[in-house]
Amino acid sequence: MRPPALVQAAAPAELSAALADEVAASLRSALAARGRAVLAVSGGSTPAALYRILADTELDWDRVTVVLVDERWVDPGQAGSNETFVHETLLQGRAAHAVFVGLKTAHAAPTDAAPERAHAVAEALAGAPIDVAVLGLGADGHTASWFPHADGLEAALAADAPLVAAIRAAPSAVTGAHLDRLTLTLPALRDARQSIIMITGPEKRRAYEAALDELNAVADMPVRALLAATGATVSTRWAP
Ligand code: 6PG
């Protein structure tokens, strides 16, 4: 398995600008080819500048569906909500016209919500793969909400998993208080036409390189499941 090339930018600002151009070009290509496009977006903090640039990028946003890659089990407006983060950074300006598919519901727990959200994401995809997925990486080797040795991780990484699964992460410095989550699964991201892992700083570069060192030990660094997935189109972009 050839590890995806790590493409380096000079600094985070250049990384965000270059990725905004690339994501916009991929979305325009999907719109031209199929009349619609699906963009899957991660939360966290790294992609904020990228999302703000995309928000004012000229394209037919009303034919773009934005799907959350994962969500902490907090309501919109509460601290840590990825839905709120995406609304405040990406779904502004021109991109406010996109269709948004979130993952947080009124259910008490992600396990209760997973089947309904899997159906909602399947409806949004309408049988087609995600066109572009913007992913992060934690220093622990998680992407999406695929946290090391988490409850639900094996099911989320199964080759025949539904599109959305519930995760209960083991507490760590990376998870913070947000242990209960919903996440897109390996099939959802493996089949994406383009997945971009966006990382900055030395710690995450070391995590990415450690992930490549031993692609088989998936539970230890679950991003490995995507990096090693046959047919996945993954590239990793890094800035100091
Ligand atoms: C989340 C994210 C998660 C994120 C990584 C990196 O809910 O936390 O979706 O997968 O992409 O944890 O987060 P940072 O960009 O904040 O380092």
Side-chain angles (χ1 to χ4, degrees), residues 1-3 141 149 153-154 157 186 208-230:
M1 167 69 193
R2 181 182 57 82
H149 304 287
L153 179 67
E154 191 173 337
L157 299 184
L186 178 60
Y208 177 70
E209 289 170 349
L212 289 184
D213 280 348
E214 176 48 67
L215 285 174
N216 295 323
V218 169
D220 295 339
M221 298 189 87
V223 68
R224 290 168 170 158
L226 183 63
L227 295 175
T230 304

Side-chain angles (χ1 to χ4, degrees), residues 41-47 69-72 80 82 134-140 142-147 174 181 198-200 204:
V41 292
S42 292
S45 57
T46 301
V69 166
D70 64 338
E71 182 61 279
R72 301 85 175 272
N82 284 340
V134 176
L135 301 174
L137 178 69
D140 60 353
H142 84 267
T143 192
S145 279
W146 310 346
F147 287 91
V174 177
R181 293 158 169 259
M198 181 184 187
I199 52 177
T200 59
K204 293 199 177 177

Side-chain angles (χ1 to χ4, degrees), residues 5-240:
L6 187 152
V7 177
Q8 181 168 336
E14 281 80 2
L15 176 62
S16 297
L19 277 184
D21 288 344
E22 186 170 345
V23 169
S26 296
L27 293 176
R28 289 189 189 103
S29 171
L31 290 167
R34 293 175 290 280
R36 64 190 299 270
V38 178
L39 170 63
V41 292
S42 292
S45 57
T46 301
L50 164 62
Y51 295 166
R52 290 193 176 98
I53 297 169
L54 280 173
D56 276 340
T57 300
E58 185 79 50
L59 58 91
D60 289 338
W61 283 104
D62 57 345
R63 291 190 289 135
V64 176
T65 298
V66 174
V67 178
L68 264 188
V69 166
D70 64 338
E71 182 61 279
R72 301 85 175 272
W73 213 242
V74 294
D75 285 330
Q78 288 188 316
S81 167
N82 284 340
E83 178 169 336
T84 301
F85 168 73
V86 169
H87 268 95
E88 291 177 346
T89 54
L90 176 60
L91 301 177
Q92 299 286 326
R94 292 187 172 98
H97 297 283
V99 174
F100 176 72
V101 179
L103 294 176
K104 181 63 174 67
T105 68
H107 293 90
T111 46
D112 304 323
E116 185 270 339
R117 286 292 91 193
H119 178 72
V121 171
E123 275 197 318
L125 295 184
I130 290 166
D131 290 291
V132 186
V134 176
L135 301 174
L137 178 69
D140 60 353
H142 84 267
T143 192
S145 279
W146 310 346
F147 287 91
H149 304 287
D151 289 344
L153 179 67
E154 191 173 337
L157 299 184
D160 59 352
L163 293 173
V164 174
I167 288 282
R168 179 157 180 81
S172 73
V174 177
T175 60
H178 303 298
L179 304 181
D180 285 318
R181 293 158 169 259
L182 269 190
T183 186
L184 294 186
T185 59
L186 178 60
L189 295 178
R190 175 199 63 212
D191 296 345
R193 298 179 196 273
Q194 181 183 14
S195 289
I196 300 170
I197 299 173
M198 181 184 187
I199 52 177
T200 59
E203 187 181 35
K204 293 199 177 177
R205 178 164 191 165
R206 284 195 295 273
Y208 177 70
E209 289 170 349
L212 289 184
D213 280 348
E214 176 48 67
L215 285 174
N216 295 323
V218 169
D220 295 339
M221 298 189 87
V223 68
R224 290 168 170 158
L226 183 63
L227 295 175
T230 304
T233 308
V234 186
S235 61
T236 300
R237 314 303 169 80
W238 177 80

